[in-house]
Amino acid sequence: MMNFKKITLLLGLSVGTYLGYAQTTWNIKAGIAISNVDAKNKAGDKVNTSSAKGLYLGLGPTISLSERFSLEPALVFAKRGFERKEGSFIGWGKDFKANTSYIEMPIDVVFNATVGTGKLEVGIGPYIGYGLGGKWKTSGPVYLDDIAIGEEGDIKFTNDASEGEYGNYNLGRPFDYGARAKVNYLFRGHYLIGMEFQKGIANLESKWGNYKSGGSIRNRSLGISVGYRF
């Protein structure tokens, strides 16, 4: 399987080639991401988690395909995370809080229609993402097996959780992908307000050496943004 850098390069080259042949405008946006995870253990028991808020920034083109349809790839930096306010679960300590950073590339197919004095835009498509790291903390020590790793530290994303340093917490695999949908309203020809939803398909649960836990952890988020098209 191609790694994240190769996939990103291939998508970038494909989009870059098309930009030379289509009518293109550009979008810059900033917003608040309300993020969470869907996590289960091997038995299928689901953990109750709370959402965490973070900022996200995005830049990308609107590539016209026809009067009503366009293609909108983007490069997004997003602060994500979640909270566990109850007891310990699947290696999380009491009141566990994770704040993470991701670089993501959504690619939306967008339909637009005139509504009032502006345009309503509805888009769907896939996204790929890569976890850069983050911070974690709890109100009680986190135990991995019988080893306590403290009450706060750095978050790392690795495919193998056995490869780490004391105090670091491996939250999962770095490579993420899933599906998304968005609704924007464009007014005065340049200004955007919007909402978007992402649901991770990739199981981010890491292995531990040759051992696989059988659990799962998947990202999901709701974003509210403002933007400018130029």
Coordinates of all heavy atoms in Angstrom, one line a residue, residues 91-125:
G91 N -7.2 1.5 28.6 CA -5.9 2.1 28.7 C -5.9 3.6 28.9 O -4.9 4.3 29.0
W92 N -7.1 4.2 29.1 CA -7.2 5.6 29.4 C -7.4 5.8 30.9 O -8.2 5.1 31.5 CB -8.4 6.3 28.7 CG -8.4 6.1 27.2 CD1 -7.3 5.8 26.4 CD2 -9.5 6.2 26.3 NE1 -7.7 5.7 25.1 CE2 -9.0 6.0 25.0 CE3 -10.8 6.5 26.4 CZ2 -9.8 6.0 23.8 CZ3 -11.6 6.5 25.3 CH2 -11.1 6.3 24.0
G93 N -6.7 6.7 31.5 CA -6.9 7.0 32.9 C -8.2 7.8 33.2 O -8.9 8.1 32.3
K94 N -8.5 8.1 34.4 CA -9.6 8.8 34.8 C -9.6 10.2 34.3 O -8.5 10.9 34.3 CB -9.8 8.8 36.4 CG -11.0 9.5 36.9 CD -11.1 9.5 38.4 CE -12.3 10.1 38.9 NZ -12.4 10.1 40.4
D95 N -10.7 10.7 33.8 CA -10.8 12.1 33.2 C -9.8 12.3 32.1 O -9.1 13.3 32.0 CB -10.7 13.1 34.3 CG -11.7 13.0 35.3 OD1 -12.9 12.6 35.0 OD2 -11.4 13.3 36.5
F96 N -9.6 11.3 31.2 CA -8.6 11.4 30.2 C -9.0 12.4 29.1 O -10.2 12.5 28.7 CB -8.5 10.0 29.5 CG -7.4 9.9 28.4 CD1 -6.1 9.6 28.8 CD2 -7.7 10.1 27.1 CE1 -5.2 9.5 27.8 CE2 -6.8 10.0 26.1 CZ -5.5 9.7 26.5
K97 N -8.1 13.3 28.7 CA -8.3 14.3 27.7 C -7.2 14.3 26.7 O -6.0 14.3 27.0 CB -8.4 15.7 28.3 CG -8.7 16.8 27.4 CD -8.9 18.1 28.1 CE -9.3 19.2 27.1 NZ -9.5 20.5 27.8
A98 N -7.6 14.2 25.4 CA -6.6 14.1 24.3 C -6.8 15.3 23.4 O -8.0 15.5 23.0 CB -6.7 12.8 23.5
N99 N -5.8 16.0 23.1 CA -5.8 17.1 22.1 C -4.8 16.8 21.0 O -3.6 16.6 21.3 CB -5.5 18.5 22.7 CG -6.5 18.9 23.7 OD1 -6.3 18.9 24.9 ND2 -7.7 19.2 23.2
T100 N -5.2 16.6 19.8 CA -4.4 16.1 18.7 C -4.4 17.1 17.5 O -5.3 18.0 17.4 CB -4.8 14.8 18.2 OG1 -6.2 14.9 17.7 CG2 -4.7 13.7 19.3
S101 N -3.4 17.0 16.6 CA -3.3 17.8 15.4 C -3.3 16.8 14.2 O -2.5 15.8 14.2 CB -2.1 18.7 15.4 OG -2.1 19.6 16.5
Y102 N -4.0 17.2 13.2 CA -4.0 16.5 11.9 C -3.8 17.4 10.7 O -4.2 18.5 10.7 CB -5.4 15.8 11.7 CG -5.5 14.4 12.4 CD1 -5.9 14.4 13.8 CD2 -5.3 13.2 11.7 CE1 -6.1 13.1 14.4 CE2 -5.5 12.0 12.4 CZ -5.8 12.0 13.7 OH -6.0 10.8 14.3
I103 N -3.2 16.8 9.7 CA -3.2 17.5 8.4 C -4.0 16.6 7.5 O -3.9 15.4 7.5 CB -1.7 17.6 7.8 CG1 -1.7 18.4 6.6 CG2 -1.1 16.3 7.6 CD1 -1.9 19.9 6.8
E104 N -5.0 17.2 6.8 CA -6.0 16.5 6.1 C -6.2 17.0 4.7 O -5.9 18.2 4.4 CB -7.4 16.5 6.8 CG -7.3 15.9 8.2 CD -8.6 16.1 9.0 OE1 -9.4 16.9 8.6 OE2 -8.7 15.5 10.0
M105 N -6.6 16.1 3.8 CA -6.9 16.5 2.4 C -8.3 16.0 2.0 O -8.5 14.8 1.7 CB -5.9 16.0 1.4 CG -6.2 16.4 0.0 SD -5.0 15.8 -1.2 CE -3.6 16.9 -0.9
P106 N -9.4 16.8 2.2 CA -10.7 16.4 1.7 C -10.8 16.7 0.2 O -10.1 17.6 -0.4 CB -11.6 17.3 2.4 CG -10.8 18.5 2.7 CD -9.4 18.1 2.9
I107 N -11.6 15.9 -0.5 CA -11.9 16.2 -2.0 C -13.4 16.0 -2.1 O -13.9 14.9 -2.1 CB -11.2 15.2 -2.9 CG1 -9.6 15.2 -2.6 CG2 -11.5 15.5 -4.3 CD1 -8.8 14.3 -3.4
D108 N -14.1 17.2 -2.3 CA -15.5 17.2 -2.4 C -16.0 17.5 -3.8 O -15.5 18.3 -4.5 CB -16.1 18.3 -1.5 CG -15.7 18.1 0.0 OD1 -15.8 17.0 0.4 OD2 -15.4 19.1 0.6
V109 N -17.1 16.7 -4.2 CA -17.8 17.1 -5.4 C -19.0 17.9 -4.9 O -19.8 17.5 -4.0 CB -18.3 15.8 -6.1 CG1 -19.2 16.2 -7.3 CG2 -17.2 14.9 -6.5
V110 N -19.1 19.1 -5.5 CA -20.1 20.1 -4.9 C -21.1 20.5 -6.0 O -20.8 20.8 -7.1 CB -19.3 21.4 -4.5 CG1 -20.2 22.4 -4.0 CG2 -18.2 21.0 -3.4
F111 N -22.4 20.5 -5.5 CA -23.5 21.0 -6.3 C -23.9 22.3 -5.8 O -24.0 22.5 -4.6 CB -24.7 20.0 -6.3 CG -25.9 20.5 -6.9 CD1 -26.1 20.5 -8.2 CD2 -26.9 21.1 -6.0 CE1 -27.3 21.0 -8.8 CE2 -28.1 21.6 -6.6 CZ -28.3 21.5 -8.0
N112 N -24.2 23.3 -6.7 CA -24.6 24.6 -6.2 C -26.0 25.0 -6.8 O -26.3 24.6 -8.0 CB -23.6 25.7 -6.5 CG -23.5 26.1 -8.0 OD1 -24.3 26.8 -8.5 ND2 -22.5 25.5 -8.7
A113 N -26.8 25.8 -6.1 CA -28.0 26.3 -6.6 C -28.2 27.7 -6.0 O -27.8 28.0 -4.9 CB -29.2 25.4 -6.2
T114 N -28.8 28.6 -6.8 CA -29.1 30.0 -6.4 C -30.2 30.0 -5.3 O -31.3 29.4 -5.6 CB -29.5 30.8 -7.6 OG1 -28.4 30.9 -8.5 CG2 -29.7 32.3 -7.1
V115 N -29.9 30.6 -4.2 CA -30.9 30.7 -3.1 C -30.8 32.1 -2.6 O -29.8 32.6 -2.1 CB -30.6 29.7 -2.0 CG1 -31.6 30.0 -0.8 CG2 -30.7 28.3 -2.4
G116 N -31.9 32.9 -2.8 CA -31.9 34.3 -2.4 C -30.9 35.0 -3.3 O -30.8 34.9 -4.5
T117 N -30.0 35.8 -2.6 CA -29.0 36.6 -3.4 C -27.7 35.9 -3.5 O -26.7 36.4 -4.0 CB -28.8 38.0 -2.7 OG1 -28.4 37.8 -1.3 CG2 -30.1 38.8 -2.7
G118 N -27.6 34.7 -2.9 CA -26.4 33.9 -2.9 C -26.5 32.5 -3.5 O -27.5 32.2 -4.2
K119 N -25.6 31.7 -3.2 CA -25.6 30.3 -3.7 C -25.5 29.3 -2.5 O -24.6 29.5 -1.6 CB -24.4 30.1 -4.6 CG -24.6 30.7 -6.0 CD -23.5 30.3 -7.0 CE -23.8 30.8 -8.4 NZ -22.7 30.4 -9.3
L120 N -26.3 28.3 -2.5 CA -26.2 27.2 -1.6 C -25.4 26.1 -2.2 O -25.6 25.7 -3.4 CB -27.6 26.7 -1.3 CG -27.7 25.5 -0.3 CD1 -27.3 26.0 1.1 CD2 -29.1 24.9 -0.2
E121 N -24.4 25.6 -1.5 CA -23.5 24.6 -2.1 C -23.5 23.4 -1.2 O -23.3 23.5 0.1 CB -22.0 25.2 -2.1 CG -21.9 26.4 -3.0 CD -20.5 27.0 -3.0 OE1 -19.8 26.8 -2.1 OE2 -20.3 27.8 -3.9
V122 N -23.7 22.2 -1.8 CA -23.7 21.0 -1.0 C -22.7 20.0 -1.6 O -22.7 19.8 -2.8 CB -25.1 20.3 -1.1 CG1 -25.2 19.0 -0.4 CG2 -26.2 21.3 -0.6
G123 N -21.8 19.5 -0.8 CA -20.7 18.7 -1.2 C -20.6 17.4 -0.4 O -20.9 17.3 0.7
I124 N -20.1 16.3 -1.1 CA -19.8 15.1 -0.5 C -18.5 14.6 -1.1 O -18.1 14.9 -2.2 CB -20.9 14.0 -0.7 CG1 -21.1 13.7 -2.2 CG2 -22.1 14.4 0.1 CD1 -22.1 12.6 -2.4
G125 N -17.8 13.7 -0.3 CA -16.5 13.2 -0.9 C -15.7 12.5 0.2 O -16.1 12.4 1.4

